[in-house]
Amino acid sequence: MKNKLNNLTNKEWLKFQKSWFIHNPPPRKKGVLVHPAKFPETMAQEFIEFFTKEGETVLDPMAGTGSTLVAALRAGRNSYGIELNPKYAKIAGQIVEEERKVLGKRVEGLTSKVINGDAANALDLGPFDLAQGKLVTFDYVLTSPPYWDMLKTKGAETQKKRRDSAELDVHYSDNPNDLGNVDDYETFLEKLVGIYGRLKSSLRDKAYLTIIVKNVKKGGKIYPLAWDIARELGKTYTLKDEKLWLQDNQPLAPFGMGSAWVSNTFHHYCLQFRLEIEKK
Ligand SMILES: C[S@@+](CC[C@H](N)C(=O)[O-])C[C@H]1O[C@@H](n2cnc3c(N)ncnc32)[C@H](O)[C@@H]1O
């Protein structure tokens, strides 16, 4: 079989094709604990290794503390990340530098670049002009957005421990351009899908995008963020199968016990989209 997508063996390819996986995040490094919601580098690496070949280029337009960039380095790929909060962008830069030292010579020729900026402004340029006038086209996007303003919900169980710590952030920032600060759900969705949609001109034909997201529970109601992104962004890219990321090491809480159905939600959707330019 000629493998046009990645460098995996048939066996590795087949393993990734299952529509769900369990990945319990390993303990975080001290430097990135401050960020309220990161995904594990180990998991990001598996996606990058499936959706790209060695030496290709990955983008994360909301890079947080740089998990995608670290994973890309480990996988031998170039990477770019945009992050609005200067504190997280700085940590991402440091983490990437530390990782480069660990990996040494084998990553010398690779680019990893963190840009402190607003993804809403940076991504409608056509091929990216990021690295001293060099035009960059991306082969893959791996990202996870703010889950609307969920981090600001008072009852959010995961936030309790963080609130008691002076060092750990409970939400991303107070910047009005931070999508986690948009109050109205429909406005949030429109802005988010707009950012992802404008990436189109910076992607190569047949590039995949993976968006890791959850549906949001607020005030006793579900806002189907994952499904809404699937429907709306499916108008720009072709929506492909999802993969479900399951966590099975979380403590169960008795939400609604005895009176109402309220789940302990320990799954995320990893939504796959593909840019498929129609041939005339
Ligand atoms: C779910 S977190 C991403 C975490 C990242 N995947 C990681 O593992 O560290 C979402 C990130 O989006 C950033 N963000 C929010 N609005 C943004 C915008 N308009 N442009 C760029 N980044 C933004 C937040 O600061 C936050 O770090």
Side-chain angles (χ1 to χ4, degrees), residues 153-245:
T153 313
K154 282 214 170 63
E157 196 61 24
T158 48
Q159 297 299 83
K160 276 187 186 150
K161 267 191 240 140
R162 301 187 74 89
R163 256 187 225 115
D164 297 336
S165 159
E167 287 154 35
L168 304 182
D169 290 348
V170 180
H171 59 271
Y172 302 125
S173 70
D174 294 322
N175 187 327
N177 295 335
D178 177 340
L179 293 187
N181 292 330
V182 180
D183 296 334
D184 178 63
Y185 177 72
E186 292 301 331
T187 310
F188 162 78
L189 184 66
E190 197 183 313
K191 286 187 177 202
L192 181 64
V193 170
I195 289 174
Y196 294 150
R198 286 197 298 279
L199 282 177
K200 191 175 166 181
S201 54
S202 302
L203 298 179
R204 72 154 160 84
D205 187 27
K206 301 276 192 297
Y208 282 93
L209 300 85
T210 297
I211 298 169
I212 301 181
V213 69
K214 244 180 172 175
N215 289 332
V216 174
K217 209 178 286 182
K218 194 171 163 185
K221 190 180 156 185
I222 291 292
Y223 293 81
L225 177 57
W227 305 339
D228 284 341
I229 292 176
R231 192 194 60 229
E232 288 305 314
L233 201 60
K235 294 173 185 167
T236 304
Y237 305 102
T238 311
L239 174 65
K240 304 288 181 182
D241 284 344
E242 79 276 14
K243 250 171 111 68
L244 289 183
W245 167 22

Side-chain angles (χ1 to χ4, degrees), residues 3-278:
N3 186 344
K4 288 192 269 183
L5 183 61
N6 57 43
N7 303 106
L8 298 182
T9 63
N10 292 359
K11 204 171 164 190
E12 289 164 336
W13 179 300
L14 201 57
K15 192 167 165 230
F16 191 86
Q17 271 184 317
K18 201 162 66 179
S19 64
W20 60 270
F21 62 97
I22 297 173
H23 195 110
N24 296 319
R28 290 204 217 170
K29 277 193 188 163
K30 205 159 173 249
V32 296
L33 264 177
V34 63
H35 192 281
K38 73 181 283 305
F39 52 56
E41 294 82 1
T42 41
M43 184 184 87
Q45 189 173 343
E46 289 179 19
F47 277 84
I48 290 171
E49 287 177 349
F50 189 86
F51 287 109
T52 56
K53 280 183 178 282
E54 279 166 24
E56 289 192 331
T57 303
V58 183
L59 170 71
D60 186 342
M62 296 181 189
T65 48
S67 316
T68 299
L69 286 88
V70 167
L73 261 184
R74 289 179 187 168
R77 274 67 165 171
N78 302 295
S79 60
Y80 291 81
I82 301 167
E83 170 53 46
L84 186 70
N85 184 332
K87 181 167 74 177
Y88 301 152
K90 191 172 168 204
I91 296 172
Q94 288 164 349
I95 297 284
V96 165
E97 276 322 301
E98 281 169 24
E99 194 64 29
R100 294 190 85 93
K101 281 189 194 131
V102 173
L103 297 172
K105 273 203 169 341
R106 79 175 169 95
V107 298
E108 259 172 18
L110 293 175
T111 303
S112 357
K113 194 167 166 65
V114 184
I115 295 128
N116 177 212
D118 184 345
N121 299 331
L123 298 174
D124 46 7
L125 310 171
F128 248 40
D129 184 359
L130 293 172
Q132 290 97 39
K134 194 173 129 202
L135 295 184
V136 183
T137 305
F138 301 108
D139 299 293
Y140 178 48
V141 175
L142 174 62
T143 194
S144 177
Y147 294 0
W148 184 26
D149 61 355
M150 198 169 101
L151 292 179
K152 295 194 152 171
T153 313
K154 282 214 170 63
E157 196 61 24
T158 48
Q159 297 299 83
K160 276 187 186 150
K161 267 191 240 140
R162 301 187 74 89
R163 256 187 225 115
D164 297 336
S165 159
E167 287 154 35
L168 304 182
D169 290 348
V170 180
H171 59 271
Y172 302 125
S173 70
D174 294 322
N175 187 327
N177 295 335
D178 177 340
L179 293 187
N181 292 330
V182 180
D183 296 334
D184 178 63
Y185 177 72
E186 292 301 331
T187 310
F188 162 78
L189 184 66
E190 197 183 313
K191 286 187 177 202
L192 181 64
V193 170
I195 289 174
Y196 294 150
R198 286 197 298 279
L199 282 177
K200 191 175 166 181
S201 54
S202 302
L203 298 179
R204 72 154 160 84
D205 187 27
K206 301 276 192 297
Y208 282 93
L209 300 85
T210 297
I211 298 169
I212 301 181
V213 69
K214 244 180 172 175
N215 289 332
V216 174
K217 209 178 286 182
K218 194 171 163 185
K221 190 180 156 185
I222 291 292
Y223 293 81
L225 177 57
W227 305 339
D228 284 341
I229 292 176
R231 192 194 60 229
E232 288 305 314
L233 201 60
K235 294 173 185 167
T236 304
Y237 305 102
T238 311
L239 174 65
K240 304 288 181 182
D241 284 344
E242 79 276 14
K243 250 171 111 68
L244 289 183
W245 167 22
L246 313 179
Q247 288 171 276
D248 70 351
N249 64 347
Q250 307 283 315
L252 287 161
F255 303 127
M257 193 176 266
S259 63
W261 156 244
V262 188
S263 78
N264 278 264
T265 309
F266 300 147
H267 68 278
H268 300 245
Y269 295 85
C270 307
L271 303 173
Q272 264 66 248
F273 296 88
R274 197 174 200 190
L275 176 59
E276 295 181 324
I277 298 167
E278 272 178 50

